[in-house]
Amino acid sequence: MPRKIPLSKTRNIGIMAHIDAGKTTCSERILYYCGRTHKIGEVHDGAAIMDWMDQEQERGITITSAATTAEWRGHQISLIDTPGHVDFTAEVERSLRVLDGAVALFCAVGGVQPQSEQVWRQSEKYSVPKVAFINKMDRTGADFYKVVDSIQNVLGANAVPVVIPIGCEENLKGVVDLITMKAIIFDDASSGASFHIEEIPADLQADAEKWRSFLVERSAEQSDDLLEKFLEGGDLTAEEIRGVVRESTIARRIIPVFCGSAFKNKGVQPLLDGIVDYLPSPEDIEPIINAVDEKDIRHHTDEEPFSALAFKIMVDKHNGKLTFIRIYSGVLESGSNVWNSSREKKQRCGRIIRMHSNRQENVDEARAGDIVAIVGLADTRTGDTLCSDKNKAIVLESIEFPAPVISISIKPLSRGDDEKLGEALHRLSDEDPTFTVNFDDETSETIISGMGELHLEVLVERLKREFSVECEVGRPEVAYRETATQVIDGDYKHSKQSGGRGQYGHCYLRLEPKGPGAGFSFDNEVKGGNIPSEYIPAVKKGVVKAMVSGPFAGYPVVDMQVTVFDGSSHDVDSSEFAFIEAARVCFRNLFMKGQPELLEPVMSVEVTSPEEYMGGVTGSICSRRGRIESMDELHGAKVVRGMVPLSEMFGYSNDLRTMTSGRGNFSMTFERYEAVPFSIAEEIIKKRHEQNKVRG
């Protein structure tokens, strides 16, 4: 069956931004103007189509990335509305991995905010081309040109306006299209659905000409031929500008900037034109490369063998498990078998569903460039590669997720719900790679970990609503780590004889601290077969076993280089188990001699508050062991940025609300691990040992 819409007219895009910049409102307008909905759903009314979960509608935030498909000017747009809250960073990460382009949304008042920087860095990691939309131009304090300046300076992006606003705050009327040099005025009576074109207002003519020159100059710089034409004639045609801006956007050399107010229905249609005109189709993206064999590449066409990446798992009450996939090549038919090359398993693809938020449309097949959901892939996980069969297998680069930084203990209120809770937690951890579940043998408690208090709060609420399991939760615990600070080496001999065959394993280890965030590495420098090569993996296994729960305080050990450089074995008594034990005990003994220290997650915190409360705000950060790094002014308010340990930030939102009479707000993102001051580390270790005794 031929394609309804050519691949060149397909756009797979996401909307990314800081929390509360208006992503979901913008998505709702896009659906409305594309004819996908006949009524605009508002976030503040709890009626936004893209925020379909009960909790999203109640809290007015996006928690899970929602996918939908719409059409504009004969193009198919697959749109993913991602969360802005840092606790749901996994949703942003997995969406950006499979998208071809993105709309970076900025608040016209707030500008480039901390989470804007975070999602921008995530998009750069996956080389995602972007257009920018400066939203909320109707708000008091809106400043289009200041935000353009901060995109250029803070994010280091070549931001080039293709429109400028006509009026701002309550006088926002429309935008000037700098390519056609015409004014687009939106009609308030039709919710912005209709607009008319007129000449540029006289008082804006000089500004429009100035920014048109800027656009033409920046465009000409991207092409030698156009630069020569520009230097000779001083101008370019509309087609030439659009062509070079598209090419440069896809190459990530230019960020075209649009503006408007999604809430007031102004500026969204020019943005849709920009999505179609400047963001790439799957054909414009580099071919995919086999992570196992770099010579094996596949182009984004229906003719190549089928390959897709599973980027999201969702539990659906009607269909059970839904697996969202991005198809990079080939065609997938419902009911066909696929090969999961990440797990080396054959699986059956049940129904294929094209999603419209949480509404579903069954389709018989999906093709290269499509983003669809599949029913029936029981053994597929986030980041897995799917292929047509074993003989045409390919493994795509998977998705990396940050490690959880906060944990709580959890148990069902009803004793009979233990099994039900276990199954629910398993399904939720399948969905969310930044949510982990562990059982603490020492305390006999179930420990769940996530990216922040809100993340865990939402998951506990989902247990109650979706799985009917009410839980009692413990106080949040920080995910501390431990590491050694000095190089130390030594040996340990595990030798036991108790009648019959004995146990013998002997190894020399060297422990060396690595830089923060450098991770764990293991080297083998054993010469002359003093430890037979078949036992080296057992030595590594013993080291890893010891690092899971460190000897200093019982937290995982990180950022260590471990080298086995000597040892001995016994012809009869040596075994894998003996060397695991020798390495485990050797590591624990040496680690305690290497001046261990406790590490804690430190957050980058930004607090915005009216100036009269600044004394209390700065004092509150310092009293929480924070370091203030900068203080700026933003539209009459003060913005304080600093670094604060996560353990000191529990309950901060309530304190800040009280301190600023409800007028202050803050955001925080994980920055790095740092050493805990010795006196506080002692207290943490003592408390942990006491808790273990009580629970034990």
Side-chain angles (χ1 to χ4, degrees):
M1 196 170 73
R3 280 181 173 276
K4 289 180 184 173
I5 292 178
L7 196 58
S8 61
K9 291 191 172 184
T10 298
R11 300 288 182 270
N12 291 318
I13 66 155
I15 299 186
M16 59 182 214
H18 185 88
I19 190 169
D20 208 27
K23 293 179 301 302
T24 301
T25 303
C26 189
S27 300
E28 295 296 321
R29 294 326 185 257
I30 286 173
L31 296 182
Y32 179 70
Y33 296 132
C34 288
R36 204 66 169 89
T37 56
H38 303 293
K39 176 179 177 290
I40 296 174
E42 300 293 8
V43 175
H44 59 268
D45 293 336
I49 288 162
M50 298 295 274
D51 282 350
W52 55 270
M53 283 173 64
D54 291 344
Q55 288 199 70
E56 291 179 312
Q57 293 171 359
E58 288 164 17
R59 295 170 187 265
I61 61 169
T62 301
I63 291 169
T64 179
S65 51
T68 192
T69 309
E71 286 186 27
W72 182 256
R73 278 176 37 197
H75 289 67
Q76 177 181 292
I77 299 174
S78 290
L79 172 70
I80 294 182
D81 171 28
T82 63
H85 199 287
V86 65
D87 283 16
F88 308 106
T89 186
E91 292 292 330
V92 181
E93 189 83 23
R94 58 165 139 223
S95 300
L96 288 171
R97 171 66 179 83
V98 298
L99 294 173
D100 301 328
V103 176
L105 213 68
F106 299 94
C107 171
V109 181
V112 177
Q113 296 165 286
Q115 192 62 8
S116 317
E117 291 185 64
Q118 172 84 354
V119 294
W120 191 275
R121 284 199 298 267
Q122 285 174 295
S123 72
E124 286 296 293
K125 181 166 104 178
Y126 294 116
S127 304
V128 177
K130 294 169 282 292
V131 299
F133 183 70
I134 298 174
N135 192 27
K136 301 195 176 184
M137 284 298 302
D138 60 307
R139 290 266 303 273
T140 304
D143 190 333
F144 172 77
Y145 302 104
K146 190 170 182 178
V147 180
V148 170
D149 191 50
S150 66
I151 295 170
Q152 291 169 339
N153 295 325
V154 178
L155 300 175
N158 187 13
V160 180
V162 289
V163 303
I164 60 170
I166 300 173
C168 72
E169 300 181 346
E170 71 272 14
N171 298 317
L172 179 70
K173 293 185 176 66
V175 296
V176 172
D177 184 334
L178 296 175
I179 295 178
T180 61
M181 286 301 276
K182 295 288 182 185
I184 303 171
I185 307 297
F186 292 92
D187 175 20
D188 287 329
S190 68
S191 298
S194 63
F195 54 85
H196 63 275
I197 311 290
E198 59 182 55
E199 295 305 314
I200 298 168
D203 61 336
L204 258 182
Q205 190 69 39
D207 270 352
E209 285 172 6
K210 171 188 151 189
W211 285 100
R212 157 86 182 189
S213 297
F214 180 77
L215 168 63
V216 171
E217 272 179 48
R218 288 296 171 96
S219 301
E221 287 169 5
Q222 306 299 322
S223 160
D224 292 342
D225 292 343
L226 291 182
L227 184 59
E228 196 175 315
K229 182 182 175 185
F230 170 70
L231 292 172
E232 285 173 8
D235 204 0
L236 302 174
T237 67
E239 284 66 33
E240 286 170 334
I241 295 171
R242 284 197 190 99
V244 76
V245 170
R246 174 177 176 76
E247 191 180 299
S248 305
T249 302
I250 292 169
R252 294 169 41 248
R253 295 194 302 267
I254 276 182
I255 307 291
V257 183
F258 296 83
C259 69
S261 165
F263 182 57
K264 291 291 177 67
N265 312 304
K266 290 171 182 168
V268 178
Q269 292 95 326
L271 171 64
L272 275 163
D273 287 338
I275 288 167
V276 163
D277 289 340
Y278 305 128
L279 288 179
S281 75
E283 286 183 347
D284 300 312
I285 300 298
E286 291 289 318
I288 56 170
I289 298 171
N290 191 341
V292 179
D293 177 6
E294 291 185 2
K295 291 176 185 172
D296 182 9
I297 64 169
R298 288 194 191 168
H299 297 274
H300 303 274
T301 67
D302 296 347
E303 287 70 40
E304 294 264 13
F306 167 71
S307 62
L309 186 76
F311 70 95
K312 178 178 169 69
I313 307 294
M314 194 173 93
V315 177
D316 177 82
K317 59 185 172 187
H318 302 298
N319 299 298
K321 180 179 172 182
L322 282 179
T323 305
F324 284 77
I325 66 168
R326 157 69 196 263
I327 302 177
Y328 286 98
S329 62
V331 179
L332 176 67
E333 294 179 350
S334 62
S336 60
N337 289 321
V338 294
W339 177 255
N340 184 325
S341 56
S342 305
R343 300 184 185 278
E344 300 205 328
K345 278 188 175 181
K346 185 177 173 182
Q347 295 183 31
R348 187 175 180 279
C349 161
R351 285 182 297 124
I352 302 174
I353 296 171
R354 198 178 294 283
M355 298 297 289
H356 174 49
S357 185
N358 67 328
R359 295 180 225 160
Q360 303 165 355
E361 173 193 343
N362 290 324
V363 293
D364 295 327
E365 63 175 26
R367 295 170 172 264
D370 284 345
I371 292 176
V372 292
I374 309 294
V375 179
L377 300 176
D379 294 322
T380 296
R381 301 283 179 271
T382 299
D384 285 1
T385 302
L386 301 175
C387 312
S388 48
D389 59 60
K390 193 174 182 177
N391 299 323
K392 295 169 185 169
I394 188 171
V395 178
L396 302 176
E397 186 184 341
S398 193
I399 310 171
E400 288 180 14
F401 295 103
V405 294
I406 187 169
S407 305
I408 55 173
S409 61
I410 186 168
K411 64 180 179 184
L413 285 177
S414 167
R415 290 194 170 191
D417 280 349
D418 278 341
E419 197 174 317
K420 209 170 167 186
L421 173 66
E423 188 184 327
L425 291 174
H426 176 70
R427 286 168 73 177
L428 289 175
S429 63
D430 263 2
E431 280 189 28
D432 184 350
T434 59
F435 172 61
T436 62
V437 183
N438 293 296
F439 187 75
D440 190 326
D441 291 323
E442 286 184 16
T443 62
S444 299
E445 286 181 325
T446 300
I447 307 294
I448 60 172
S449 306
M451 298 308 297
E453 285 183 277
L454 178 63
H455 187 197
L456 295 180
E457 194 182 308
V458 164
L459 286 162
V460 170
E461 188 67 23
R462 286 188 66 192
L463 286 172
K464 179 181 172 183
R465 295 186 186 202
E466 294 173 34
F467 300 96
S468 305
V469 183
E470 289 208 49
C471 294
E472 181 186 319
V473 298
R475 186 181 180 278
E477 297 282 345
V478 173
Y480 292 105
R481 300 286 183 261
E482 50 190 81
T483 193
T485 58
Q486 286 196 342
V487 178
I488 188 84
D489 60 35
D491 73 315
Y492 180 77
K493 188 183 289 182
H494 178 77
S495 178
K496 289 193 176 178
Q497 199 72 42
S498 55
R501 186 174 170 178
Q503 295 175 25
Y504 185 92
H506 179 210
C507 63
Y508 283 80
L509 298 179
R510 180 166 60 251
L511 277 54
E512 300 170 74
K514 296 170 75 175
F520 163 68
S521 55
F522 179 85
D523 280 345
N524 171 24
E525 291 181 2
V526 176
K527 301 284 192 297
N530 286 357
I531 299 178
S533 58
E534 65 263 30
Y535 293 132
I536 298 298
V539 173
K540 183 178 180 181
K541 203 180 282 184
V543 168
V544 170
K545 195 174 179 182
M547 290 175 71
V548 169
S549 177
F552 184 46
Y555 294 105
V557 176
V558 295
D559 303 334
M560 296 293 297
Q561 161 75 47
V562 179
T563 306
V564 54
F565 61 91
D566 203 358
S568 62
S569 65
H570 187 278
D571 290 343
V572 177
D573 293 345
S574 285
S575 64
E576 184 182 359
F577 173 78
F579 274 100
I580 288 173
E581 278 301 290
R584 185 183 70 81
V585 178
C586 186
F587 179 90
R588 291 180 71 86
N589 293 347
L590 291 175
F591 186 81
M592 292 306 288
K593 294 175 185 174
Q595 293 197 0
E597 66 181 9
L598 201 60
L599 304 174
E600 63 182 345
V602 173
M603 314 301 281
S604 172
V605 176
E606 181 179 286
V607 185
T608 305
S609 161
E611 190 167 358
E612 61 260 40
Y613 303 110
M614 282 314 293
V617 168
T618 54
S620 73
I621 290 175
C622 295
S623 69
R624 292 170 181 263
R625 295 196 286 125
R627 301 188 301 274
I628 292 173
E629 304 210 321
S630 70
M631 290 175 66
D632 300 300
E633 194 162 330
L634 183 70
H635 308 299
K638 288 283 186 181
V639 180
V640 183
R641 295 180 182 87
M643 297 289 174
V644 188
L646 174 62
S647 60
E648 303 288 346
M649 290 301 291
F650 295 137
Y652 186 65
S653 53
N654 289 336
D655 290 355
L656 181 66
R657 208 173 294 129
T658 305
M659 194 189 315
T660 61
S661 302
R663 294 168 67 194
N665 60 71
F666 83 103
S667 64
M668 66 178 184
T669 55
F670 170 71
E671 191 67 29
R672 59 179 172 265
Y673 272 90
E674 287 183 5
V676 181
F678 183 71
S679 58
I680 295 171
E682 274 193 319
E683 194 60 38
I684 292 167
I685 295 166
K686 183 181 170 190
K687 195 173 172 186
R688 185 167 171 86
H689 289 325
E690 283 173 357
Q691 283 175 341
N692 288 346
K693 276 181 193 170
V694 171
R695 290 163 178 166

